[in-house]
Amino acid sequence: MQSGFVLRRLISLWLILPLCSAEAAVLTKDTIWQQEQLVSEDTLIPPGITLTVRPGTQVKISPAESTKTDPEFISPLTEIIVRGKINIEGTPTAPVRFTSTETGKGGEWAGILIDGGDANVSNCDISGADSALYLLDARVEATNITLSGNRYGATIIGNSKTAIKNSKISGNDYGLATLTASTPLLTDTVIKDNRKKDVFQEEPPKVLLSAKAEQTPTQIPLARSYRDEALVGDTVWRGRIRVDGNLRVPEGSRLLITPGTVVEFSRKDTNGDGLGENGILIQGALIAKGTKEAPILFHSAENNRRMGDWDAINLMNSDKTENLIENCIFEDAYRGLHFHFSTVKVIGSRFSNNLRGIQFQESAVEILNSDFTFNKSAVQGRDSQIRFDGNRINSNHQGGNFFRNHLTFTSNQIAGTLKEGVRIREGSAAIERNILTGNRQGLLLSDIYYASVACNLIANSSETGLAMKNVDNVGLQGNYFGNNGANGLSLQEAKAEISGNLFLHNAERGIGITSFGGSIAGNSFAGNRLYAIDLESPEDLDASNNWWGGDIPAAVVFDKKSDSTRGRVLTEPALPKAPQFTWPVAEFAGQLTLAGDIIIKGQPLIRQGNTLAVDPGTTVRFTDGSGLLVNGRLNSNGTPAKPVIFTAYGDKKAGAWDEIVFEQALDSTISNTVIEYATWGIHGHFTNLVIDHLLARNNSGGMRFRSGPVLIKNSVFRNNGIGIRSYIGNGVIESNIITNNEIGLFVRERGGGLTVRRNNFFANSEYSIRSGDFNTEDIPASGNWWGEQPPQETIFDGRQEEGIGKVLFEPFLSAPVNLDSAGVK
């Protein structure tokens, strides 16, 4: 590294000579490949450059070594990436072939990655790749191609325009995977005999989590501009700073940046690789301490700002003091922060629209409460001591990529990534209390010698939630694996203790096993579409003492009884009931389902756009003072035989837990459900709620609501302080039993929006209906049964207190409504 930017070798690929080699090559002019070509490192075709591959060319790609963790472009594997144009000109008699130099197994090299570029491909065979063709917002026309022996034949993402004719995609793990709203045009193309799935149409990842709001500094007058120079001693920046070269802060010097400062970098690209070179090299110390109200901004000075307009804030050998980056914003860089052999703390900062948000190695690192959005790669780190806590990684192409670290990864939120949410290789890791939801793949662990994976939410992945390959001494406890597009958990050459986890409603398998050593016990499996466990290896698997969701275990495992080449899944003895599972994080993030026996502590949130469904027969237990806040949707739909139960974890008394609050939430339904021992069972604000066959009992209050609309029917409110309370309510209360409460229905204010009919009110100790002191509207309540007493004796309204609304109970029923099926038996 010199003058604050990375030196990038300019290596042109030979045009004619056979078996020539390219290392980290950037094509700087139109180039021709023919005969034999060896690709030993990443190769980039930048915008404006065309690579032409002549008929009969054999392109051999060397797999990346295990130490390769800093891809120049997208993948950690050796890649050919096209941001310009590639023309592959094979013929039927002289096809072009791209193959690995090794075994040819899928995943040895990345593939041909068309990243916003163009490709015309004819008569070409591609094998041994992770994805033979990987199309990201690309334009591709392909004819007579064969994609075989890869992990994925083709992957199509984003706004790609793809036409494939007269081609064959077979013999891969997956044939065609699409994460795009646009449909590829396939003409006379055969996609079959792929090992796992021919066509994998995935929902594009969605951001279902919060993002921290940041104030971006406005335009301010230019205070100082720099070219190539050194900043000696203490330098203080404030105002707007322009950098038109490479600055260096030598050892013993400090750069101090004050709140609200804007640092802008002009674009300079001398080697044509598409990456800007202006930046700052810190060999002394950097203190960039903004505030939430006045953050520090590092970004491009160009009018048309792009990823990679400038290089990085580079720190080299800056380990004598802690470098502090607090409340800063990094945009438009190749690498926002890049450091080696340094001590760095990042707090409350944001990294957006960079090729890489942060990259580092051999450092002591703390990254706390920061945001990474819309980067090609959010974070890459290796050979370091890392604390990564409370961060949000949303809508990046690649999330976190960590190699050979001692990593503490806690309380982070990762969503919307188009590759892995988090990829961890080698080293050791503690991965706890994280939310990984709505990613293409959630979490990948490979070649790990120790890891604790505990109390995480791993859900809504387009493919697999957690994949573990060649790992040892891993503990998986207390995690939720739900609603993933393939497997909740995939195991290959893995040794682990797997206990106390939930595997619910994954689209294919709860656990898919290629090879495994360890134990699987004390887990809950329910609603997985194909199998709870699918065992591919020939060795038997001990899976005793798990709960199988009420299914016969043999019916939900795939093993030797269905395929004689496989081992047996030994499920006996099975647990007779679900083991208790404590919800591990502060949100229900994504489209989730609960089943079994769940303990909730605190007030977990269902955000807008998210849905929590509760399976029949599920019991949800709330600890003292706990509850649930719903801004999205809650569907608790039991059955008469298997009701859902919301109850107290501890003392069985009114007020033992708080309430389920619906705050401007989406349409929600509560049916065949019991709510008991709460302060208020249900509390609705400006929410469309349908309550059907609810049993609300032994609560301080069964239900209260403001506005609505609310429909309450076929339900029982019994032994509560107040059965139902309405405040400016818009609701229909119909065909319910309201009994043995202190007050059956309390109308606090504006009761004219209610319709109360065909209910049985009786044996409420104070009043069946009480009109509140601020309720000036009459309450429509004709056609109800009021027990053995005259209705007026069970009502408190304007007849007893002048100025409040009356209950209009006439005509009333002389006999109870037949509501034998109401509530939950």
Side-chain angles (χ1 to χ4, degrees):
M1 182 179 297
Q2 295 179 3
S3 301
F5 67 99
V6 177
L7 297 178
R8 305 182 186 97
R9 286 177 294 174
L10 308 179
I11 301 176
S12 298
L13 301 178
W14 306 117
L15 304 184
I16 301 299
L17 295 177
L19 202 61
C20 45
S21 176
E23 291 195 15
V26 177
L27 275 60
T28 58
K29 61 182 178 179
D30 292 348
T31 303
I32 295 173
W33 287 356
Q34 64 182 28
Q35 298 184 18
E36 291 191 6
Q37 179 74 39
L38 175 64
V39 177
S40 57
E41 280 291 345
D42 298 337
T43 300
L44 171 66
I45 300 104
I49 301 297
T50 298
L51 170 65
T52 301
V53 186
R54 295 297 196 208
T57 301
Q58 308 291 306
V59 183
K60 297 182 179 180
I61 298 93
S62 298
E65 298 295 328
S66 62
T67 56
K68 181 178 183 294
T69 64
D70 301 329
E72 195 66 24
F73 311 115
I74 289 179
S75 173
L77 303 172
T78 307
E79 58 193 336
I80 298 171
I81 187 160
V82 181
R83 292 179 181 148
K85 187 172 184 179
I86 186 169
N87 294 323
I88 300 176
E89 300 176 339
T91 67
T93 57
V96 172
R97 290 188 171 89
F98 290 80
T99 62
S100 168
T101 59
E102 300 295 331
T103 65
K105 293 181 180 179
E108 291 186 338
W109 63 290
I112 301 175
L113 283 59
I114 317 297
D115 181 18
D118 297 84
N120 292 304
V121 185
S122 298
N123 297 288
C124 178
D125 300 343
I126 305 175
S127 63
D130 183 66
S131 183
L133 292 176
Y134 186 94
L135 314 180
L136 177 61
D137 298 326
R139 295 161 297 281
V140 176
E141 292 188 5
T143 305
N144 295 323
I145 65 171
T146 299
L147 311 179
S148 183
N150 307 284
R151 285 194 66 233
Y152 296 85
T155 304
I156 304 175
I157 298 174
N159 296 316
S160 294
K161 296 180 179 179
T162 310
I164 303 176
K165 304 176 183 178
N166 303 319
S167 297
K168 183 178 181 180
I169 304 175
S170 67
N172 309 284
D173 287 343
Y174 298 93
L176 175 65
T178 62
L179 292 87
T180 177
S182 57
T183 303
L185 178 62
L186 305 175
T187 305
D188 296 327
T189 293
V190 176
I191 306 175
K192 68 175 185 178
D193 299 329
N194 295 284
R195 286 178 288 277
K196 295 184 178 180
K197 188 173 285 189
D198 289 325
V199 177
F200 200 161
Q201 188 167 3
E202 308 173 29
E203 287 290 326
K206 299 175 182 178
V207 178
L208 302 168
L209 301 172
S210 63
K212 187 177 69 171
E214 288 276 12
Q215 179 179 346
T216 300
T218 57
Q219 186 72 19
I220 55 178
L222 183 65
R224 179 73 189 269
S225 62
Y226 295 87
R227 300 188 70 82
D228 296 336
E229 54 190 282
L231 305 179
V232 180
D234 281 1
T235 301
V236 179
W237 280 356
R238 57 176 56 90
R240 181 161 66 97
I241 307 297
R242 183 181 175 96
V243 179
D244 293 317
N246 291 284
L247 296 181
R248 185 168 67 90
V249 178
E251 186 175 358
S253 298
R254 296 190 306 169
L255 176 58
L256 310 172
I257 307 179
T258 61
T261 300
V262 174
V263 183
E264 57 187 30
F265 299 83
S266 60
R267 181 179 179 86
K268 180 175 68 176
D269 180 10
T270 60
N271 64 2
D273 65 357
L275 301 176
E277 296 160 5
N278 291 333
I280 303 173
L281 172 62
I282 309 289
Q283 294 170 307
L286 171 65
I287 305 296
K289 187 176 174 60
T291 66
K292 292 181 179 179
E293 297 74 23
I296 297 166
L297 173 62
F298 300 88
H299 74 162
S300 169
E302 304 301 313
N303 291 328
N304 181 22
R305 293 161 49 198
R306 298 178 296 172
M307 284 185 182
D309 270 355
W310 58 285
D311 179 36
I313 305 299
N314 296 288
L315 295 98
M316 177 64 73
N317 297 323
S318 181
D319 58 356
K320 295 180 176 59
T321 186
E322 181 178 78
N323 296 277
L324 178 63
I325 294 91
E326 184 171 359
N327 292 306
C328 294
I329 300 172
F330 293 80
E331 297 176 340
D332 319 315
Y334 168 37
R335 295 172 289 201
L337 271 180
H338 178 218
F339 45 93
H340 289 202
F341 308 106
S342 298
T343 301
V344 178
K345 177 181 280 190
V346 179
I347 306 174
S349 295
R350 188 178 81 212
F351 299 80
S352 184
N353 196 46
N354 306 288
L355 285 168
R356 304 177 194 168
I358 298 180
Q359 181 181 337
F360 56 86
Q361 67 185 60
E362 285 97 4
S363 295
V365 186
E366 289 186 275
I367 302 173
L368 312 175
N369 190 31
S370 294
D371 287 87
F372 299 82
T373 58
F374 303 107
N375 305 285
K376 274 290 172 62
S377 175
V379 183
Q380 296 184 25
R382 61 176 291 176
D383 298 298
S384 297
Q385 183 94 9
I386 307 169
R387 179 186 171 210
F388 197 87
D389 180 81
N391 302 290
R392 293 158 294 277
I393 300 177
N394 289 341
S395 298
N396 302 277
H397 186 269
Q398 172 75 56
N401 186 1
F402 300 99
F403 175 71
R404 210 163 53 198
N405 299 290
H406 182 72
L407 172 65
T408 301
F409 192 86
T410 52
S411 301
N412 302 290
Q413 299 179 350
I414 302 94
T417 56
L418 294 171
K419 288 177 71 67
E420 300 94 355
V422 181
R423 179 187 182 99
I424 302 173
R425 294 182 294 153
E426 297 194 28
S428 64
I431 306 160
E432 299 177 357
R433 302 183 306 281
N434 301 286
I435 296 173
L436 295 99
T437 186
N439 303 288
R440 184 178 176 198
Q441 300 200 45
L443 173 63
L444 171 65
L445 303 180
S446 65
D447 304 305
I448 294 284
Y449 64 80
Y450 170 80
S452 170
V453 183
C455 302
N456 300 284
L457 165 61
I458 304 175
N460 298 127
S461 307
S462 300
E463 298 182 18
T464 293
L466 167 59
M468 299 201 302
K469 181 179 179 180
N470 192 29
V471 301
D472 195 5
N473 197 22
V474 176
L476 265 68
Q477 287 88 29
N479 302 286
Y480 176 96
F481 298 92
N483 292 77
N484 294 289
N487 299 339
L489 172 64
S490 293
L491 302 171
Q492 181 179 353
E493 300 178 24
K495 295 181 180 179
E497 304 296 319
I498 301 171
S499 63
N501 304 284
L502 285 186
F503 297 91
L504 304 180
H505 290 264
N506 295 287
E508 294 184 1
R509 304 159 191 85
I511 305 178
I513 300 174
T514 303
S515 50
F516 174 71
S519 65
I520 300 176
N523 304 284
S524 294
F525 298 87
N528 299 289
R529 190 171 301 169
L530 294 182
Y531 306 104
I533 296 178
D534 184 348
L535 178 66
E536 295 185 28
S537 69
E539 294 82 15
D540 290 349
L541 172 71
D542 183 2
S544 58
N545 294 304
N546 293 287
W547 181 68
W548 303 94
D551 294 314
I552 298 170
V556 294
V557 300
F558 192 88
D559 63 355
K560 192 178 187 70
K561 68 181 179 300
S562 302
D563 181 345
S564 62
T565 66
R566 305 184 181 210
R568 297 174 298 162
V569 178
L570 307 175
T571 59
E572 298 298 333
L575 295 179
K577 62 180 182 179
Q580 291 186 339
F581 177 87
T582 299
W583 187 251
V585 292
E587 293 190 32
F588 288 94
Q591 312 304 309
L592 306 181
T593 306
L594 290 182
D597 195 336
I598 310 299
I599 299 171
I600 290 181
K601 298 179 179 180
Q603 304 277 343
L605 170 66
I606 305 171
R607 292 186 185 276
Q608 287 189 3
N610 296 336
T611 298
L612 176 63
V614 187
D615 273 358
T618 301
T619 298
V620 181
R621 305 176 192 273
F622 293 89
T623 60
D624 185 23
S626 296
L628 184 61
L629 177 57
V630 183
N631 297 144
R633 180 181 285 113
L634 172 64
N635 293 326
S636 172
N637 297 321
T639 66
K642 294 182 177 180
V644 173
I645 300 175
F646 293 95
T647 189
Y649 175 74
D651 293 339
K652 301 300 187 284
K653 62 181 182 181
W657 59 283
D658 192 15
E659 57 188 359
I660 301 172
V661 179
F662 295 84
E663 185 66 51
Q664 300 185 43
L666 301 174
D667 301 344
S668 294
T669 59
I670 308 291
S671 65
N672 290 292
T673 295
V674 177
I675 298 181
E676 59 187 10
Y677 308 119
T679 302
W680 283 97
I682 296 172
H683 184 180
H685 276 193
F686 306 99
T687 297
N688 186 358
L689 275 174
V690 176
I691 310 296
D692 188 6
H693 287 90
L694 167 71
L695 172 55
R697 64 187 178 193
N698 303 317
N699 305 286
S700 298
M703 175 181 178
R704 59 176 170 165
F705 66 96
R706 177 178 181 178
S707 187
V710 171
L711 173 61
I712 306 168
K713 63 179 182 178
N714 303 316
S715 296
V716 175
F717 294 83
R718 185 175 64 224
N719 296 330
N720 305 287
I722 297 174
I724 303 170
R725 188 179 80 171
S726 171
Y727 173 53
I728 318 178
N730 172 16
V732 176
I733 303 171
E734 180 176 22
S735 301
N736 304 286
I737 297 173
I738 303 173
T739 185
N740 290 114
N741 307 285
E742 293 176 13
I743 297 174
L745 170 61
F746 176 67
V747 181
R748 178 180 168 186
E749 192 172 330
R750 294 179 61 177
L754 301 176
T755 299
V756 184
R757 63 193 178 204
R758 289 183 51 79
N759 302 285
N760 292 337
F761 288 94
F762 64 100
N764 296 290
S765 62
E766 294 186 13
Y767 304 103
S768 287
I769 298 182
R770 190 196 191 286
S771 182
D773 293 345
F774 299 99
N775 177 48
T776 59
E777 299 178 355
D778 293 341
I779 304 165
S782 61
N784 297 284
W785 183 67
W786 303 92
E788 301 301 328
Q789 296 173 276
Q792 60 269 27
E793 294 183 10
T794 70
I795 291 169
F796 184 92
D797 63 2
R799 298 174 180 87
Q800 287 83 16
E801 182 176 316
E802 186 177 352
I804 64 174
K806 296 179 180 179
V807 178
L808 307 179
F809 58 82
E810 291 181 322
F812 58 89
L813 301 179
S814 59
V817 181
N818 183 357
L819 297 174
D820 290 344
S821 65
V824 175
K825 305 304 178 186

